[in-house]
Amino acid sequence: MQTPYEQGCYVAHTGTDVYGPGKVIGVEGEWRRVRFVYFVATIRADDLRAASASETEQVREWLRQKQARYGGQW
């Protein structure tokens, strides 16, 4: 069964690590808008996988740094 990766899930791309891990910030059908550490991109859900524990922590730390620096919701 395919995991839908709803908004707020931590994910990584299945084929490349160039994006870094990320967090799903939007869902539209089979497409997911993901705030990756290095990019924001729209990716098909089946091109994503669940982030590992270390990848999840990397994203959380990155988001904390951005919020501390710029404020607002990341």
Side-chain angles (χ1 to χ4, degrees):
M1 184 171 87
Q2 178 66 38
T3 304
Y5 303 116
E6 297 300 326
Q7 191 165 334
C9 291
Y10 294 96
V11 296
H13 193 273
T14 58
T16 180
D17 63 356
V18 73
Y19 296 106
K23 183 177 181 180
V24 176
I25 59 173
V27 174
E28 188 172 321
E30 63 188 40
W31 296 93
R32 301 298 180 263
R33 188 76 173 154
V34 180
R35 181 182 304 278
F36 289 105
V37 174
Y38 303 115
F39 300 96
V40 174
T42 301
I43 306 286
R44 286 177 52 99
D46 57 358
D47 287 334
L48 297 170
R49 62 174 174 78
S52 68
S54 64
E55 289 170 327
T56 297
E57 186 51 38
Q58 181 182 353
V59 175
R60 287 180 176 157
E61 179 57 29
W62 184 83
L63 291 170
R64 279 191 290 271
Q65 290 174 7
K66 295 300 176 191
Q67 188 173 29
R69 181 177 287 164
Y70 303 112
Q73 293 295 316
W74 284 79

